[in-house]
Structures are given as structure tokens and as C-alpha cells.
Amino acid sequence: HPPVAPPPVAPPPVAIPPRPELPEGPLLMKIKDAASLLGVHRVTIWRLVKASRLETVNLLGSVRVRRADVEALVAGGIRDSR
């Protein structure tokens, strides 16, 4: 009898990385909403923008800030550029 080949071995399963968590709320926020989220006045948000600690996004003529940037500011992820 000819030798019998072993059955093919299935490749190991590929791990699918988990989907990143979607942030709660909108990705872009109005200045007043960012101020409310941080518990500060709107002027404080504009001061952070002027100091380059927070970046604005112009969306169809409206000024917004990224929610992720606001959260990073609180977490210490955005540093003073001076």
C-alpha cells in the first residue's frame, strides 16, 4: 500500500481586534457646549484656542472643537505650546 498523507491542518483562527469604543456625544462640539462640558465660561475656551491648547474646526461656516481634543485637554494630553 502507498503511504497515506496526514489530513491537512487548519490554520489557527485569526484574532479580530475589538472595535474601538465610539465616544458618547457628537465628535464636534460648539464652543458653548465644550465650555458646558468643562464647567467653564465660553471665554475660557477661546483663551485655550488663542493659546494653541485647543484647535478649532470650521464646519460650513460654524466654529467647532473636537470632543476628543476637549477630553484630551482634561486628561492632560494637550500641553501648553509656550
Side-chain angles (χ1 to χ4, degrees):
H1 295 294
V4 177
V9 178
V14 176
I16 299 173
R19 292 181 67 184
E21 291 288 325
L22 292 176
E24 290 188 26
L27 297 176
L28 297 175
M29 307 175 70
K30 294 179 181 179
I31 299 296
K32 68 175 188 158
D33 295 333
S36 177
L37 183 65
L38 294 178
V40 298
H41 196 274
R42 287 179 293 114
V43 173
T44 302
I45 300 297
W46 284 112
R47 286 180 183 144
L48 291 167
V49 169
K50 186 175 179 183
S52 299
R53 294 187 64 200
L54 200 54
E55 188 178 329
T56 59
V57 175
N58 290 312
L59 181 67
L60 301 172
S62 297
V63 177
R64 301 284 194 264
V65 292
R66 290 178 191 88
R67 184 181 188 94
D69 290 350
V70 174
E71 291 174 353
L73 181 69
V74 172
I78 298 178
R79 298 285 177 212
D80 196 343
S81 62
R82 288 184 266 168

